[in-house]
Amino acid sequence: MRTLMIAGAALALLLVPVGPGAFAKSKGTRFWNLTLYTVTSLQLSPPGKQAWGPNQCKNDPDGTVDHDERVKVTGVKSGRYDVKLADRIGRVCIVCNVQVKKGGIFTIEEKQLTDCNKK
């Protein structure tokens, strides 16, 4: 009887519906660099405020975000932000009105870098 109860409990566990990401660990909010160059500084501000937050590149082990690399972004809620980035070739660019979703990935592509200056 006891063996039957254990087997029944094991079968019940197998029948519990589980979504595809149920066991995946959340990686948090991330920035995906789709520009041509390594990003050396990445800061966010509420739109139009120029109240730049901390450099999110510091969340990467080498302190930069290479082309096609992702980095965790911390201390940011879902919403729209202006993003200021600096890259390896000396550009400082501002991309306005970028949508950021908590737990999601936001990208910046090379074609978005229209408001840039050299350091």
Side-chain angles (χ1 to χ4, degrees):
M1 179 81 166
R2 185 176 188 157
T3 304
L4 184 59
M5 287 182 6
I6 293 171
L11 181 60
L13 287 174
L14 291 175
L15 297 176
V16 174
V18 177
F23 298 107
K25 183 179 175 186
S26 173
K27 294 185 179 182
T29 307
R30 291 176 288 155
F31 162 68
W32 185 5
N33 179 13
L34 296 178
T35 71
L36 294 177
Y37 303 101
T38 298
V39 173
T40 57
S41 177
L42 179 80
Q43 298 172 280
L44 284 74
S45 169
K49 303 289 186 189
Q50 294 191 356
W52 305 110
N55 179 2
Q56 299 290 336
C57 288
K58 291 183 178 181
N59 298 333
D60 190 79
D62 72 0
T64 64
V65 185
D66 296 326
H67 165 75
D68 201 27
E69 183 180 15
R70 298 173 189 178
V71 69
K72 188 172 185 174
V73 173
T74 58
V76 177
K77 298 177 184 177
S78 294
R80 295 206 169 266
Y81 292 88
D82 291 345
V83 178
K84 179 168 72 170
L85 65 84
D87 64 24
R88 261 274 146 85
I89 65 167
R91 293 184 299 183
V92 177
C93 306
I94 296 176
V95 180
C96 295
N97 210 24
V98 175
Q99 179 67 45
V100 176
K101 291 185 180 180
K102 189 168 179 103
I105 299 171
F106 69 95
T107 64
I108 295 182
E109 300 178 23
E110 188 67 29
K111 67 183 178 185
Q112 293 174 273
L113 302 182
T114 58
D115 183 10
C116 300
N117 299 308
K118 287 284 190 173
K119 284 185 190 177

XYZ file of all heavy atoms in Angstrom, residues 28-110:
646
model
N 17.165 39.114 -15.571
C 16.941 40.521 -15.281
C 16.916 41.374 -16.539
O 16.985 40.878 -17.660
N 16.807 42.671 -16.340
C 16.796 43.620 -17.443
C 18.191 43.683 -18.049
O 19.188 43.740 -17.325
C 16.373 45.013 -16.936
O 15.138 44.888 -16.239
C 16.227 46.004 -18.074
N 18.256 43.676 -19.398
C 19.565 43.682 -20.051
C 19.587 44.626 -21.249
O 18.567 44.862 -21.889
C 19.932 42.276 -20.517
C 20.199 41.342 -19.355
C 20.480 39.935 -19.772
N 19.233 39.340 -20.248
C 19.170 38.333 -21.102
N 20.253 37.779 -21.568
N 18.011 37.858 -21.483
N 20.769 45.146 -21.529
C 21.048 45.945 -22.722
C 21.815 45.059 -23.692
O 22.786 44.407 -23.311
C 21.889 47.174 -22.354
C 22.579 47.811 -23.532
C 21.857 48.451 -24.522
C 23.959 47.771 -23.644
C 22.500 49.026 -25.609
C 24.610 48.346 -24.724
C 23.875 48.975 -25.710
N 21.398 45.079 -24.961
C 22.055 44.306 -26.020
C 22.671 45.298 -26.987
O 21.965 46.068 -27.637
C 21.031 43.427 -26.709
C 21.540 42.471 -27.740
C 22.825 42.225 -28.087
C 20.740 41.614 -28.556
N 22.881 41.272 -29.067
C 21.610 40.881 -29.382
C 19.376 41.404 -28.668
C 21.160 39.960 -30.299
C 18.927 40.481 -29.581
C 19.813 39.768 -30.388
N 23.987 45.307 -27.073
C 24.716 46.253 -27.915
C 24.709 45.800 -29.376
O 25.443 44.893 -29.753
C 26.161 46.404 -27.419
C 26.963 47.367 -28.268
O 26.422 48.103 -29.078
N 28.266 47.361 -28.071
N 23.912 46.473 -30.194
C 23.884 46.202 -31.629
C 24.499 47.348 -32.424
O 24.213 47.523 -33.603
C 22.446 45.909 -32.085
C 21.831 44.646 -31.481
C 20.398 44.460 -31.956
C 22.674 43.415 -31.795
N 25.361 48.142 -31.754
C 26.132 49.153 -32.462
C 27.375 48.471 -33.034
O 27.630 47.301 -32.766
C 26.543 50.312 -31.534
O 27.544 49.859 -30.614
C 25.341 50.870 -30.765
N 28.159 49.206 -33.795
C 29.347 48.614 -34.420
C 30.537 48.492 -33.481
O 31.464 47.733 -33.754
C 29.764 49.443 -35.640
C 28.789 49.443 -36.810
C 29.289 50.372 -37.915
C 28.568 48.043 -37.343
N 30.513 49.256 -32.379
C 31.702 49.336 -31.533
C 31.403 48.977 -30.080
O 30.256 48.982 -29.639
C 32.288 50.754 -31.597
C 32.615 51.159 -33.003
C 31.771 51.985 -33.728
C 33.752 50.668 -33.638
C 32.057 52.333 -35.044
C 34.051 51.005 -34.953
C 33.198 51.838 -35.650
O 33.483 52.165 -36.948
N 32.450 48.713 -29.330
C 32.350 48.420 -27.904
C 31.869 49.659 -27.163
O 32.405 50.753 -27.339
C 33.720 47.966 -27.362
O 34.101 46.772 -28.044
C 33.677 47.720 -25.872
N 30.866 49.486 -26.320
C 30.332 50.574 -25.499
C 31.118 50.596 -24.190
O 31.269 49.568 -23.529
C 28.816 50.382 -25.249
C 28.289 51.399 -24.252
C 28.051 50.471 -26.565
N 31.617 51.782 -23.841
C 32.425 51.939 -22.628
C 31.659 52.603 -21.485
O 32.101 52.564 -20.344
C 33.698 52.743 -22.933
O 33.314 54.008 -23.480
C 34.587 52.006 -23.929
N 30.538 53.239 -21.814
C 29.694 53.863 -20.801
C 28.249 53.821 -21.293
O 27.991 54.098 -22.463
C 30.126 55.315 -20.557
O 29.269 55.939 -19.614
N 27.330 53.486 -20.405
C 25.907 53.415 -20.736
C 25.125 53.936 -19.539
O 25.194 53.361 -18.445
C 25.495 51.970 -21.033
C 24.026 51.782 -21.378
C 23.770 52.158 -22.829
C 23.593 50.348 -21.133
N 24.414 55.045 -19.729
C 23.656 55.659 -18.644
C 22.233 55.956 -19.112
O 22.020 56.287 -20.281
C 24.320 56.965 -18.207
C 25.721 56.781 -17.654
C 26.388 58.118 -17.426
O 26.882 58.718 -18.357
N 26.386 58.560 -16.172
N 21.282 55.857 -18.209
C 19.887 56.120 -18.521
C 19.379 57.302 -17.712
O 19.837 57.541 -16.590
C 19.034 54.886 -18.215
C 19.128 53.743 -19.214
C 20.428 52.989 -19.096
C 17.967 52.789 -19.038
N 18.419 58.022 -18.304
C 17.794 59.172 -17.658
C 16.318 59.194 -18.025
O 15.958 58.816 -19.144
C 18.451 60.466 -18.157
O 17.711 61.598 -17.743
N 15.466 59.689 -17.127
C 14.091 59.924 -17.559
C 14.120 60.857 -18.781
O 14.986 61.741 -18.865
C 13.442 60.609 -16.349
C 14.271 60.158 -15.180
C 15.669 60.047 -15.719
N 13.210 60.669 -19.720
C 13.248 61.454 -20.959
C 13.315 62.955 -20.722
O 12.560 63.514 -19.934
C 11.942 61.074 -21.665
C 11.573 59.741 -21.109
C 12.073 59.751 -19.695
N 14.259 63.610 -21.401
C 14.400 65.059 -21.359
C 14.995 65.633 -20.089
O 15.164 66.839 -19.975
N 15.352 64.824 -19.119
C 15.831 65.313 -17.812
C 17.349 65.431 -17.716
O 17.858 66.171 -16.884
C 15.338 64.409 -16.678
C 13.839 64.261 -16.601
C 13.187 65.511 -16.127
C 11.695 65.261 -15.937
N 10.958 66.458 -15.681
N 18.081 64.688 -18.481
C 19.547 64.616 -18.391
C 20.028 64.359 -16.959
O 21.039 64.906 -16.519
C 20.189 65.871 -18.987
C 19.956 65.967 -20.478
C 20.784 67.038 -21.142
O 21.499 67.790 -20.491
N 20.689 67.100 -22.452
N 19.270 63.542 -16.245
C 19.625 63.122 -14.889
C 20.193 61.712 -15.012
O 19.542 60.726 -14.676
C 18.396 63.147 -13.982
N 21.424 61.623 -15.533
C 22.023 60.336 -15.897
C 22.327 59.489 -14.676
O 22.933 59.945 -13.717
C 23.287 60.563 -16.724
C 23.010 61.405 -17.927
C 23.420 62.685 -18.162
C 22.208 61.031 -19.052
N 22.925 63.124 -19.368
C 22.182 62.133 -19.943
C 21.516 59.886 -19.409
C 21.493 62.118 -21.157
C 20.823 59.854 -20.609
C 20.818 60.964 -21.466
N 21.907 58.253 -14.751
C 22.156 57.289 -13.687
C 23.556 56.712 -13.792
O 24.390 57.177 -14.589
N 23.831 55.673 -13.010
C 25.169 55.080 -12.988
C 25.530 54.412 -14.321
O 24.652 54.043 -15.109
C 25.085 54.045 -11.868
C 23.640 53.743 -11.725
C 22.898 54.985 -12.117
N 26.819 54.244 -14.529
C 27.332 53.583 -15.729
C 27.038 52.094 -15.633
O 27.651 51.374 -14.855
C 28.837 53.835 -15.858
C 29.443 53.165 -17.070
O 28.755 52.531 -17.865
N 30.747 53.313 -17.210
N 26.109 51.620 -16.472
C 25.700 50.218 -16.444
C 26.778 49.279 -16.989
O 26.737 48.077 -16.736
C 24.385 50.046 -17.221
C 23.222 50.831 -16.658
C 22.723 50.310 -15.326
O 22.903 49.146 -14.978
N 22.072 51.174 -14.561
N 27.755 49.809 -17.713
C 28.854 48.966 -18.211
C 29.646 48.357 -17.056
O 30.273 47.308 -17.217
C 29.790 49.760 -19.123
S 29.074 50.160 -20.721
N 29.599 48.991 -15.905
C 30.312 48.464 -14.741
C 29.729 47.133 -14.266
O 30.355 46.438 -13.476
C 30.309 49.489 -13.609
C 31.162 50.699 -13.924
C 31.203 51.668 -12.771
C 32.110 52.847 -13.123
N 32.201 53.792 -12.010
N 28.546 46.766 -14.781
C 27.948 45.475 -14.434
C 28.567 44.326 -15.224
O 28.254 43.165 -14.963
C 26.433 45.505 -14.682
C 25.740 46.531 -13.808
O 26.204 46.857 -12.735
N 24.634 47.050 -14.292
N 29.419 44.631 -16.190
C 30.102 43.612 -16.988
C 31.486 43.365 -16.385
O 32.123 44.315 -15.912
C 30.238 44.081 -18.432
C 30.727 42.980 -19.347
O 29.898 42.134 -19.732
O 31.931 42.957 -19.669
N 31.961 42.131 -16.380
C 33.272 41.844 -15.778
C 34.422 42.706 -16.312
O 35.307 43.083 -15.545
C 33.506 40.365 -16.100
C 32.128 39.789 -16.207
C 31.293 40.892 -16.820
N 34.419 43.033 -17.614
C 35.520 43.859 -18.134
C 35.158 45.337 -18.220
O 35.938 46.149 -18.704
C 36.027 43.328 -19.477
C 35.078 43.564 -20.640
O 33.993 44.145 -20.448
O 35.426 43.169 -21.771
N 33.964 45.714 -17.744
C 33.571 47.119 -17.696
C 33.166 47.710 -19.033
O 33.006 48.932 -19.139
N 33.001 46.873 -20.058
C 32.570 47.340 -21.379
C 31.557 46.347 -21.940
O 31.422 45.230 -21.442
C 33.749 47.453 -22.370
O 34.299 46.153 -22.597
C 34.839 48.392 -21.856
N 30.851 46.779 -23.009
C 29.884 45.910 -23.666
C 30.261 45.858 -25.145
O 30.075 46.821 -25.879
C 28.439 46.421 -23.490
C 27.444 45.422 -24.075
C 28.128 46.688 -22.021
N 30.822 44.733 -25.555
C 31.248 44.553 -26.938
C 30.039 44.483 -27.871
O 28.913 44.265 -27.429
C 32.064 43.266 -27.085
C 33.357 43.304 -26.299
O 33.952 44.392 -26.187
O 33.759 42.247 -25.776
N 30.307 44.638 -29.184
C 29.260 44.454 -30.188
C 28.627 43.075 -29.998
O 29.337 42.084 -29.784
C 29.853 44.569 -31.598
C 28.932 44.049 -32.658
N 27.828 44.758 -33.076
C 28.930 42.887 -33.344
C 27.195 44.039 -33.993
N 27.841 42.907 -34.174
N 27.313 43.009 -30.020
C 26.529 41.783 -29.892
C 26.635 41.138 -28.504
O 26.307 39.978 -28.329
C 26.888 40.776 -30.993
C 25.799 39.740 -31.223
O 24.620 40.043 -30.957
O 26.114 38.612 -31.639
N 27.065 41.890 -27.524
C 27.121 41.403 -26.146
C 25.959 42.014 -25.366
O 25.467 43.084 -25.709
C 28.448 41.800 -25.492
C 28.608 41.260 -24.080
C 29.933 41.654 -23.423
O 30.625 42.563 -23.926
O 30.257 41.055 -22.394
N 25.547 41.337 -24.314
C 24.485 41.826 -23.437
C 25.054 42.064 -22.050
O 25.972 41.377 -21.627
C 23.351 40.816 -23.369
C 22.695 40.591 -24.713
C 21.698 39.484 -24.679
N 21.267 39.182 -26.044
C 20.430 38.248 -26.361
N 19.911 37.485 -25.428
N 20.089 38.051 -27.609
N 24.469 43.039 -21.358
C 24.895 43.333 -19.991
C 23.660 43.578 -19.140
O 22.651 44.125 -19.613
C 25.853 44.553 -19.942
C 25.142 45.850 -20.286
C 26.522 44.669 -18.585
N 23.724 43.163 -17.891
C 22.632 43.377 -16.947
C 22.521 44.864 -16.617
O 23.531 45.537 -16.398
C 22.872 42.568 -15.678
C 21.710 42.581 -14.724
C 21.927 41.604 -13.591
C 20.696 41.552 -12.724
N 20.793 40.534 -11.690
N 21.292 45.360 -16.570
C 21.013 46.752 -16.218
C 20.280 46.720 -14.880
O 19.279 46.017 -14.728
C 20.155 47.425 -17.311
C 19.718 48.813 -16.891
C 20.929 47.476 -18.626
N 20.778 47.478 -13.914
C 20.205 47.452 -12.574
C 19.639 48.816 -12.182
O 20.040 49.849 -12.732
C 21.267 47.036 -11.539
O 22.361 47.956 -11.602
C 21.783 45.627 -11.815
N 18.708 48.804 -11.230
C 18.156 50.036 -10.683
C 17.247 50.791 -11.632
O 17.073 52.004 -11.481
N 16.649 50.099 -12.603
C 15.812 50.749 -13.608
C 14.448 50.066 -13.625
O 14.363 48.843 -13.677
C 16.476 50.663 -15.003
C 15.599 51.258 -16.068
C 17.827 51.360 -14.987
N 13.391 50.862 -13.586
C 12.030 50.347 -13.687
C 11.598 50.349 -15.150
O 12.221 50.992 -15.990
C 11.073 51.233 -12.890
C 11.364 51.283 -11.413
C 10.410 52.244 -10.718
C 10.768 52.374 -9.242
N 9.917 53.346 -8.568
N 10.506 49.661 -15.446
C 9.950 49.700 -16.801
C 9.545 51.127 -17.144
O 9.057 51.872 -16.298
C 8.718 48.799 -16.895
O 9.073 47.453 -16.732
N 9.769 51.499 -18.400
C 9.394 52.837 -18.859
C 10.243 53.267 -20.032
O 11.019 52.483 -20.590
N 10.112 54.520 -20.389
C 10.915 55.094 -21.478
C 12.052 55.909 -20.874
O 11.874 56.595 -19.869
C 10.046 55.952 -22.380
C 9.001 55.127 -23.105
C 8.588 55.781 -24.413
N 7.805 54.855 -25.192
C 8.314 54.049 -26.120
N 9.584 54.080 -26.386
N 7.543 53.214 -26.798
N 13.215 55.815 -21.523
C 14.418 56.499 -21.043
C 15.190 57.090 -22.209
O 15.134 56.594 -23.334
C 15.349 55.509 -20.313
C 14.783 54.994 -19.023
C 13.976 53.863 -18.990
C 15.061 55.636 -17.822
C 13.444 53.387 -17.805
C 14.537 55.168 -16.626
C 13.734 54.042 -16.629
O 13.218 53.577 -15.444
N 15.938 58.150 -21.906
C 16.990 58.599 -22.806
C 18.228 57.818 -22.401
O 18.468 57.597 -21.203
C 17.250 60.102 -22.668
C 16.087 60.950 -23.192
O 15.217 60.407 -23.905
O 16.058 62.152 -22.884
N 18.998 57.379 -23.385
C 20.191 56.585 -23.119
C 21.400 57.336 -23.659
O 21.425 57.744 -24.818
C 20.089 55.192 -23.783
C 21.357 54.387 -23.533
C 18.866 54.439 -23.278
N 22.397 57.523 -22.794
C 23.661 58.135 -23.221
C 24.716 57.046 -23.211
O 24.880 56.346 -22.213
C 24.066 59.277 -22.283
C 25.391 59.937 -22.682
C 25.654 61.229 -21.941
C 26.007 61.026 -20.512
N 26.498 62.254 -19.847
N 25.398 56.902 -24.338
C 26.465 55.908 -24.393
C 27.720 56.517 -24.989
O 27.672 57.441 -25.786
C 26.028 54.660 -25.161
C 25.703 54.756 -26.649
C 26.955 54.668 -27.499
C 24.770 53.626 -27.029
N 28.830 55.989 -24.554
C 30.136 56.334 -25.121
C 30.719 55.036 -25.655
O 30.471 53.960 -25.108
C 31.051 56.935 -24.057
N 31.489 55.162 -26.752
C 32.057 53.939 -27.322
C 33.559 54.057 -27.491
O 34.159 55.102 -27.218
C 31.352 53.542 -28.624
C 31.511 54.542 -29.743
O 32.485 55.328 -29.751
O 30.648 54.545 -30.641
N 34.161 52.957 -27.916
C 35.616 52.848 -28.032
C 36.235 53.841 -29.001
O 37.391 54.185 -28.864
C 35.970 51.464 -28.548
C 36.399 50.427 -27.642
C 37.779 50.219 -27.183
N 37.722 49.741 -25.812
C 37.569 48.486 -25.453
N 37.475 47.544 -26.338
N 37.514 48.173 -24.185
N 35.461 54.300 -30.009
C 36.047 55.227 -30.987
C 35.903 56.687 -30.558
O 36.248 57.588 -31.313
C 35.491 55.006 -32.409
C 34.004 55.326 -32.486
C 35.781 53.593 -32.883
C 33.473 55.421 -33.915
N 35.369 56.913 -29.340
C 35.313 58.261 -28.793
C 34.008 58.995 -28.997
O 33.913 60.175 -28.670
N 33.007 58.331 -29.505
C 31.706 58.986 -29.664
C 30.953 58.968 -28.347
O 31.031 58.009 -27.580
C 30.831 58.261 -30.689
C 31.303 58.320 -32.090
C 30.312 57.652 -33.027
N 30.142 56.235 -32.685
C 29.387 55.388 -33.374
N 28.712 55.807 -34.431
N 29.291 54.127 -33.019
N 30.198 60.042 -28.096
C 29.226 60.095 -27.013
C 27.902 60.385 -27.696
O 27.750 61.398 -28.375
C 29.567 61.185 -25.980
C 28.486 61.261 -24.913
C 30.929 60.937 -25.359
N 26.949 59.471 -27.533
C 25.680 59.559 -28.241
C 24.521 59.512 -27.254
O 24.611 58.868 -26.220
C 25.528 58.397 -29.217
S 26.884 58.210 -30.388
N 23.441 60.189 -27.631
C 22.213 60.128 -26.858
C 21.119 59.590 -27.770
O 20.924 60.087 -28.884
C 21.820 61.504 -26.287
C 22.892 61.975 -25.300
C 20.443 61.439 -25.621
C 22.680 63.349 -24.736
N 20.444 58.548 -27.292
C 19.308 57.968 -28.004
C 18.091 58.220 -27.119
O 18.054 57.786 -25.963
C 19.506 56.455 -28.251
C 18.310 55.879 -29.004
C 20.800 56.207 -29.017
N 17.121 58.941 -27.661
C 15.965 59.349 -26.872
C 14.817 58.354 -26.958
O 14.644 57.661 -27.959
C 15.469 60.717 -27.352
S 16.678 62.022 -27.072
N 14.063 58.314 -25.860
C 12.791 57.607 -25.819
C 12.915 56.107 -26.081
O 12.164 55.530 -26.866
C 11.815 58.255 -26.808
C 10.391 58.124 -26.353
O 10.096 57.976 -25.174
N 9.482 58.173 -27.310
N 13.841 55.455 -25.411
C 14.049 54.005 -25.548
C 13.149 53.288 -24.550
O 13.132 53.623 -23.364
C 15.536 53.643 -25.286
C 15.744 52.139 -25.296
C 16.433 54.336 -26.297
N 12.387 52.302 -25.027
C 11.497 51.525 -24.164
C 12.312 50.462 -23.418
O 13.023 49.668 -24.039
C 10.404 50.839 -24.990
C 9.451 49.994 -24.178
C 8.572 50.814 -23.243
O 8.035 51.835 -23.623
N 8.430 50.358 -22.014
N 12.202 50.458 -22.092
C 12.867 49.474 -21.244
C 11.793 48.753 -20.444
O 10.949 49.400 -19.821
C 13.886 50.153 -20.295
C 14.502 49.142 -19.343
C 14.952 50.885 -21.085
N 11.821 47.429 -20.481
C 10.870 46.625 -19.709
C 11.646 45.819 -18.677
O 12.607 45.136 -19.025
C 10.092 45.680 -20.620
C 9.129 46.401 -21.527
C 8.288 45.436 -22.312
C 7.343 46.204 -23.201
N 6.494 45.326 -23.995
N 11.216 45.910 -17.428
C 11.875 45.174 -16.353
C 11.870 43.683 -16.699
O 10.844 43.113 -17.038
C 11.164 45.418 -15.027
C 11.919 44.852 -13.849
C 11.352 45.359 -12.552
C 12.088 44.763 -11.396
N 13.014 45.666 -10.787
N 13.040 43.070 -16.665
C 13.189 41.665 -16.991
C 13.356 41.400 -18.478
O 13.562 40.265 -18.878
N 13.298 42.446 -19.294
C 13.424 42.294 -20.743
C 14.775 42.750 -21.256
O 15.666 43.120 -20.490
N 14.901 42.726 -22.563
C 16.130 43.153 -23.231
C 15.797 44.356 -24.107
O 14.831 44.321 -24.863
C 16.709 42.023 -24.101
C 17.062 40.818 -23.249
C 17.939 42.505 -24.878
C 17.435 39.583 -24.048
N 16.593 45.422 -23.990
C 16.446 46.531 -24.920
C 17.731 46.654 -25.724
O 18.808 46.298 -25.256
C 16.078 47.841 -24.206
C 17.152 48.448 -23.353
C 17.988 49.431 -23.846
C 17.327 48.035 -22.040
C 18.966 50.008 -23.054
C 18.304 48.596 -21.240
C 19.129 49.596 -21.752
N 17.587 47.111 -26.952
C 18.733 47.204 -27.850
C 18.946 48.635 -28.301
O 18.021 49.449 -28.295
C 18.521 46.340 -29.110
O 17.413 46.853 -29.845
C 18.284 44.891 -28.768
N 20.167 48.910 -28.698
C 20.484 50.122 -29.440
C 21.299 49.675 -30.644
O 22.285 48.949 -30.500
C 21.244 51.160 -28.585
C 20.318 51.636 -27.457
C 21.721 52.321 -29.450
C 20.896 52.681 -26.555
N 20.835 50.089 -31.819
C 21.483 49.728 -33.076
C 22.268 50.914 -33.612
O 21.983 52.064 -33.281
C 20.429 49.306 -34.099
C 19.615 48.108 -33.665
C 18.548 47.734 -34.673
O 18.687 48.080 -35.869
O 17.572 47.085 -34.271
N 23.227 50.629 -34.447
C 24.077 51.670 -35.036
C 23.241 52.762 -35.700
O 23.540 53.949 -35.566
C 25.052 51.046 -36.041
C 26.092 52.004 -36.570
C 27.093 52.483 -35.527
O 27.381 51.754 -34.559
O 27.614 53.608 -35.690
